[in-house]
């Protein structure tokens, strides 16, 4: 492996470990065996976007390297029991088509300001419009102008962990920004044309579950996790639409997920793996960094998975170097052949081509 690539990996590892501090040490004890320890994670804060008449949103505290699921979309009753992919779900009046509004938090007015900014940014993203600081300041209430950077930081966090979209500054003098999806799902991440929100954040969560379950998660594992996010099979979600179709058909057809029957299972049971496009567009380390951000910690806090992600990064670098070497060798061989046997006039006229 080239010295430069190796040093980058080592630098990345040291940075994560330095940021982890005490959290890293405590996680070693908490995750003695990967098979026995699956992190209890905080779902993305969907409460920043919700339906009318929202309920209060609770928050949990970080314990060690793990955080218990607590953030709840406000349109779903918290008493609903687990609903798996093959079970019938009780029918309730759907509010999925209700207009979106902001969490009416009496205790934190910045939450309302953040929610308004998130909706504005998503509106601009879906329409591929330029984003400037001046335009964002028009959206934020005048009395919070002096706290704009904090509101922007919160909005950026919510965009990333809910929708899988990163806010990046492209011009520091004009203070212009763009939103970039973490993966290349069709139609800016919405998958289907028309109305809807990006599904990239949900996909990153699913890839994380699969990774942490030994790179193969049963359908029961997936729905258990999604239920903690208040996402249920058969119940339309106001951000993700109909989730069962999304994860067993849409994302499978796009080759981001592999959905297959468990061998020799009777009755039939199913499991999920990463699809080829997931392997091509992201990595275990990127997914781990995404999960760490949701839980306000660092990747090295998930010790055993972090070690596996580092090995995966090294293998990716080796594979890339090998491909580059093979490409260089092919180009070199072709160059020598061209010099040794230049095309004849007849070959040129016939459109024959050497060296691609």
């Amino acid at each position: 492996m080239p010295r430069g690539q190796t040093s980058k990996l080592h630098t990345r590892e040291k940075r994560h470990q330095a940021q982890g501090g005490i959290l890293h040490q405590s996680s070693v004890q908490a995750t003695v065996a990967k098979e026995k320890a699956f992190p209890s994670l905080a779902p993305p804060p969907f409460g920043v976007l919700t339906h009318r008449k929202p309920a209060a949103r609770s928050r949990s505290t970080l314990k060690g390297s793990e955080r218990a699921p607590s953030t709840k979309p406000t349109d779903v009753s918290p008493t609903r029991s687990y609903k798996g992919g093959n079970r019938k779900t009780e029918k309730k009046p759907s509010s999925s088509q209700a207009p979106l509004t902001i969490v009416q938090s009496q205790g934190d007015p910045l939450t309302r300001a953040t929610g308004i900014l998130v909706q504005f940014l998503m509106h601009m993203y879906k329409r591929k419009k330029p984003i400037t600081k001046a335009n964002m300041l028009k959206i934020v209430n005048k009395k919070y102008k002096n706290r704009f950077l904090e509101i922007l930081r919160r909005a950026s966090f919510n965009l990333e962990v809910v929708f899988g979209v990163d806010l990046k500054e492209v011009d520091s003098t004009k203070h212009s920004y763009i939103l970039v999806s973490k993966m290349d799902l069709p139609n800016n991440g919405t998958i289907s044309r028309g109305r809807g929100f990006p599904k990239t954040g949900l996909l990153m969560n699913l890839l994380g579950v699969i990774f942490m379950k030994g790179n193969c998660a049963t359908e029961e594992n997936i729905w258990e996790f999604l239920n903690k996010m208040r996402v249920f099979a058969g119940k339309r979600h106001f951000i993700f639409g109909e989730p069962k179709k999304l994860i067993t058909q849409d994302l499978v057809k796009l080759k981001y997920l592999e959905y297959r029957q468990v061998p020799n299972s009777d009755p039939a049971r199913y499991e999920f793996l990463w699809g080829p496009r997931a392997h091509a567009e992201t990595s275990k380390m990127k997914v781990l960094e995404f999960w760490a951000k949701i839980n306000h910690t660092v990747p090295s806090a998930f010790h055993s998975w972090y070690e596996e992600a580092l090995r995966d990064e090294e293998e990716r670098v080796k594979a890339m170097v090998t491909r580059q070497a093979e490409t260089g060798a092919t180009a070199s061989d072709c160059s020598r052949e061209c010099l040794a046997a230049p095309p004849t006039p007849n070959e040129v006229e016939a459109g024959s081509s050497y060296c691609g």
Side-chain angles (χ1 to χ4, degrees):
M1 185 186 306
R3 183 177 300 174
Q5 297 286 1
T6 304
S7 63
K8 286 182 180 180
L9 286 174
H10 290 165
T11 301
R12 189 177 196 175
E13 180 178 4
K14 289 179 180 179
R15 182 173 68 250
H16 285 156
Q17 290 176 344
Q19 292 172 342
I22 298 174
L23 282 174
H24 173 74
Q25 295 180 8
S26 64
S27 70
V28 173
Q29 299 173 356
T31 57
V32 176
K34 188 182 301 185
E35 296 77 8
K36 297 181 180 179
F38 183 73
S40 178
L41 297 166
F46 298 132
V48 71
L49 284 172
T50 184
H51 299 288
R52 296 194 185 279
K53 298 181 181 180
R57 183 164 64 97
S58 62
R59 299 184 67 183
S60 62
T61 57
L62 184 66
K63 297 181 179 180
S65 65
E66 302 177 0
R67 189 174 181 179
S70 61
T71 306
K72 303 172 183 177
T74 55
D75 62 324
V76 182
S77 170
T79 59
R80 184 168 182 168
S81 60
Y82 165 75
K83 302 295 180 183
N86 295 321
R87 300 188 184 187
K88 293 183 179 180
T89 57
E90 56 189 275
K91 293 184 178 180
K92 294 185 178 181
S94 173
S95 58
S96 61
Q97 302 303 319
L100 293 177
T101 184
I102 307 302
V103 173
Q104 302 300 316
S105 171
Q106 299 297 327
D108 184 10
L110 290 187
T111 298
R112 295 195 296 273
T114 299
I116 292 171
L117 184 56
V118 166
Q119 293 191 52
F120 168 75
L121 291 171
M122 287 308 306
H123 174 83
M124 302 296 279
Y125 174 66
K126 290 164 66 176
R127 285 158 181 74
K128 299 182 179 180
K129 299 286 187 179
I131 301 168
T132 64
K133 181 179 179 180
N135 288 336
M136 289 189 283
L137 284 171
K138 294 177 183 178
I139 300 297
V140 177
N141 192 302
K142 290 182 179 180
K143 61 183 178 181
Y144 302 127
K145 300 288 187 185
N146 62 334
R147 303 188 68 178
F148 172 74
L149 290 180
E150 181 180 354
I151 293 170
L152 182 61
R153 178 186 59 79
R154 291 190 186 192
S156 178
F157 173 81
N158 281 286
L159 287 168
E160 182 175 0
V161 301
V162 176
F163 302 114
V165 176
D166 294 318
L167 180 68
K168 297 186 177 182
E169 188 175 33
V170 292
D171 191 329
S172 58
T173 57
K174 297 181 180 179
H175 298 290
S176 60
Y177 300 81
I178 59 171
L179 289 167
V180 180
S181 178
K182 290 182 178 293
M183 302 183 77
D184 296 328
L185 273 70
N187 298 305
N188 275 2
T190 62
I191 297 181
S192 301
R193 294 181 180 275
R195 298 177 62 183
F197 292 95
K199 313 299 191 296
T200 309
L202 180 67
L203 176 58
M204 294 290 285
N205 272 289
L206 295 176
L207 296 176
V209 176
I210 294 169
F211 169 36
M212 291 193 171
K213 285 294 185 180
N215 301 306
C216 181
T218 65
E219 189 167 17
E220 291 81 4
N221 293 151
I222 294 293
W223 285 109
E224 181 181 1
F225 180 82
L226 290 177
N227 289 177
K228 291 177 181 178
M229 293 171 61
R230 298 299 187 266
V231 177
F232 301 94
K235 178 173 175 58
R236 187 172 183 81
H237 191 273
F238 75 105
I239 294 178
F240 304 126
E242 207 299 295
K244 184 173 183 181
K245 177 180 181 295
L246 175 64
I247 69 173
T248 63
Q249 297 181 37
D250 298 339
L251 293 175
V252 173
K253 184 177 180 180
L254 291 169
K255 299 188 182 300
Y256 284 104
L257 296 177
E258 182 180 344
Y259 181 61
R260 68 186 186 188
Q261 184 176 342
V262 177
N264 304 317
S265 59
D266 186 18
R269 295 172 57 245
Y270 293 85
E271 59 191 8
F272 288 87
L273 296 87
W274 285 31
R277 285 189 69 175
H279 284 287
E281 295 180 18
T282 191
S283 66
K284 293 177 180 179
M285 184 61 77
K286 289 179 181 178
V287 169
L288 201 58
E289 289 171 347
F290 177 82
W291 273 41
K293 177 160 286 191
I294 292 176
N295 286 270
H296 304 286
T297 184
V298 291
S300 57
F302 305 105
H303 180 65
S304 55
W305 295 284
Y306 180 68
E307 295 296 329
E308 182 177 344
L310 279 176
R311 291 192 296 271
D312 180 67
E313 291 288 289
E314 292 176 355
E315 291 171 1
R316 284 172 175 268
V317 170
K318 290 178 181 177
M320 181 182 67
V321 171
T322 301
R323 286 195 300 271
Q324 290 176 344
E326 291 174 349
T327 302
T330 301
S332 177
D333 291 342
C334 182
S335 177
R336 287 194 297 270
E337 289 177 4
C338 289
L339 291 173
T344 65
N346 289 337
E347 289 173 330
V348 172
E349 291 176 2
S352 176
S353 176
Y354 290 76
C355 300

